[in-house]
Amino acid sequence: MSRGTVVTVTGEIDGAALGPTLAHEHLYCDISVHSGRADNRVTDTALVSDELGAFLRAGGRSIIELTPVGIGRDPVRLREISERSGVQIVSGIAFYDESTYPDWVRAATIDQIADYFVREIEDGTEGVRAGLIGELASHNEPVANPAGYRLREAEERVFIAAARAQRRTGVAISTHAALGRGGHAQLDVLERHGADLTRVVIGHCDAHWHPDIETDLAYYLPILARGAYCEFDMVGWTELAPDPVRAERVAALVGMGHERKITLATDTCRLSQMHRNGGRGYDHLWSSFLPELRARGVSEAQILSMLVDAPRTALSGS
Ligand SMILES: [Zn+2]
């Protein structure tokens, strides 16, 4: 990938054409294999293309689609959704929870896994190339203890492969670091194996929260200090954290000047989240969350930094 460009499912574009971007979504996925919930089977391309109309009307332009192999990743379907809806889609390549790894991954060497990532980035599936590595998962832990979290052995092998593939291709890496607050452990492995941490996005920073904002900032700020992005990608998941709490934390980080290193999204992956089924839709960020940020003093320019500049610099390197 050449610096300054972004690889979408319909081809390479200039980074400047990316526009307002949701940095962590699912448009075609089947997490029911993992969760057992039929609600997690989002495989109706006509429905999703239709739902994206509200996203475009709200002001969105691009979506980073991070469905990993093992829970329904299908880049050819993503191209179909992009062509039908007019939304620019960047597709990730990665593996999810260890229980969903394809069998070959368990037996493969680290270099074989890295070669696979590189093939998906350089050649793709039926010509549809991945534009980044993600969402690259390590396990959830019920207790949020950033200092005590360690990647499991199989996860570590996949993370090392991702670091090697990033060095060979220059793409971004976007992670799943959920309840256990594994962001630092993920960065430790990636850093040891030569990844460029300034192109790493730590996902699900808002899947957990502490009533004392200082405790949360003590997780976010060292991630930013290491050069990585902090992603608030579970906006609208009020069962995990109320949106006003998210907005308060984003506003605090923006107040410290970090808006170019914060990415935003709503991690949509359920049929019940679609407007047609009474859900919030892919426009929730615009209809509900951006007003929360404005109410806390976040400016339009700072919002655009998070929605446009941060995803562009992560994906294109400039
Ligand atoms: Zn996700």
Side-chain angles (χ1 to χ4, degrees), residues 24 26 135 204 267:
H24 185 134
H26 302 277
E135 63 181 293
H204 305 323
D267 200 11

Side-chain angles (χ1 to χ4, degrees), residues 19-43:
T21 301
L22 290 176
H24 185 134
E25 301 292 336
H26 302 277
L27 301 172
Y28 191 93
C29 65
D30 187 359
I31 310 178
S32 71
V33 296
H34 183 59
S35 68
R37 298 162 51 115
D39 193 26
N40 280 145
R41 196 174 299 127
V42 179
T43 52

Side-chain angles (χ1 to χ4, degrees), residues 58-122:
R61 186 77 191 91
S62 301
I63 286 181
I64 302 177
E65 212 285 359
L66 292 178
T67 304
V69 176
I71 54 170
R73 179 179 189 268
D74 190 333
V76 176
R77 299 285 191 163
L78 296 181
R79 179 169 60 192
E80 182 188 325
I81 292 169
S82 178
E83 285 168 349
R84 282 178 88 132
S85 66
V87 172
Q88 300 179 131
I89 300 172
V90 180
S91 168
I93 178 68
F95 302 109
Y96 194 56
D97 184 272
E98 199 183 332
S99 65
T100 68
Y101 286 4
D103 286 337
W104 73 263
V105 172
R106 297 174 209 284
T109 65
I110 292 171
D111 274 327
Q112 284 169 334
I113 299 170
D115 287 346
Y116 171 75
F117 289 153
V118 170
R119 271 200 308 280
E120 284 297 316
I121 292 160
E122 292 184 342

Side-chain angles (χ1 to χ4, degrees), residues 4-317:
T5 64
V6 172
V7 173
T8 76
V9 294
T10 57
E12 244 177 60
I13 61 169
D14 194 277
L18 196 65
T21 301
L22 290 176
H24 185 134
E25 301 292 336
H26 302 277
L27 301 172
Y28 191 93
C29 65
D30 187 359
I31 310 178
S32 71
V33 296
H34 183 59
S35 68
R37 298 162 51 115
D39 193 26
N40 280 145
R41 196 174 299 127
V42 179
T43 52
D44 183 340
T45 56
L47 167 67
V48 169
S49 302
D50 205 45
E51 291 283 321
L52 289 174
F55 165 77
L56 288 171
R57 286 192 294 278
R61 186 77 191 91
S62 301
I63 286 181
I64 302 177
E65 212 285 359
L66 292 178
T67 304
V69 176
I71 54 170
R73 179 179 189 268
D74 190 333
V76 176
R77 299 285 191 163
L78 296 181
R79 179 169 60 192
E80 182 188 325
I81 292 169
S82 178
E83 285 168 349
R84 282 178 88 132
S85 66
V87 172
Q88 300 179 131
I89 300 172
V90 180
S91 168
I93 178 68
F95 302 109
Y96 194 56
D97 184 272
E98 199 183 332
S99 65
T100 68
Y101 286 4
D103 286 337
W104 73 263
V105 172
R106 297 174 209 284
T109 65
I110 292 171
D111 274 327
Q112 284 169 334
I113 299 170
D115 287 346
Y116 171 75
F117 289 153
V118 170
R119 271 200 308 280
E120 284 297 316
I121 292 160
E122 292 184 342
D123 306 329
T125 300
E126 294 182 36
V128 183
R129 294 164 58 200
L132 76 163
I133 296 168
E135 63 181 293
L136 190 65
S138 61
H139 63 281
N140 298 339
E141 266 176 20
V143 180
N145 173 14
Y149 187 95
R150 294 286 176 276
L151 270 64
R152 294 177 181 145
E153 197 225 325
E155 295 168 346
E156 183 157 332
R157 284 159 29 82
V158 173
F159 271 70
I160 296 170
R164 290 182 187 172
Q166 189 207 38
R167 289 177 59 170
R168 288 163 59 184
T169 61
V171 298
I173 296 173
S174 182
T175 78
H176 165 110
L179 298 174
R181 300 216 127 165
H184 287 288
Q186 293 180 339
L187 288 173
D188 289 345
V189 173
L190 292 171
E191 186 172 46
R192 268 203 306 277
H193 295 274
D196 176 1
L197 299 194
T198 70
R199 303 281 303 286
V200 175
V201 181
I202 296 299
H204 305 323
C205 282
D206 57 342
H208 176 83
W209 66 289
H210 192 279
D212 179 4
I213 189 171
E214 295 302 327
T215 301
D216 288 342
L217 290 172
Y219 177 65
Y220 311 142
L221 290 173
I223 290 173
L224 294 163
R226 297 176 79 172
Y229 295 77
C230 259
E231 183 158 271
F232 287 71
D233 51 23
M234 303 206 77
V235 173
W237 290 74
T238 52
E239 66 272 39
L240 295 177
D243 275 356
V245 165
R246 289 192 173 89
E248 187 188 20
R249 278 139 185 75
V250 171
L253 293 173
V254 168
M256 298 176 205
H258 294 297
E259 61 272 15
R260 290 176 67 89
K261 279 289 187 177
I262 297 169
T263 50
L264 302 173
T266 59
D267 200 11
T268 306
C269 60
R270 294 181 179 175
L271 291 171
S272 58
Q273 290 164 333
M274 305 291 156
H275 280 308
R276 190 182 296 179
N277 301 321
R280 52 180 166 74
Y282 288 99
D283 57 324
H284 175 78
L285 198 84
W286 282 266
S287 62
S288 176
F289 191 65
L290 298 186
E292 297 268 10
L293 292 180
R294 292 183 188 111
R296 286 166 179 77
V298 179
S299 72
E300 294 309 309
Q302 289 165 328
I303 287 172
L304 285 178
S305 278
M306 292 185 279
L307 286 182
V308 180
D309 298 333
R312 187 196 65 243
T313 53
L315 290 172
S316 78

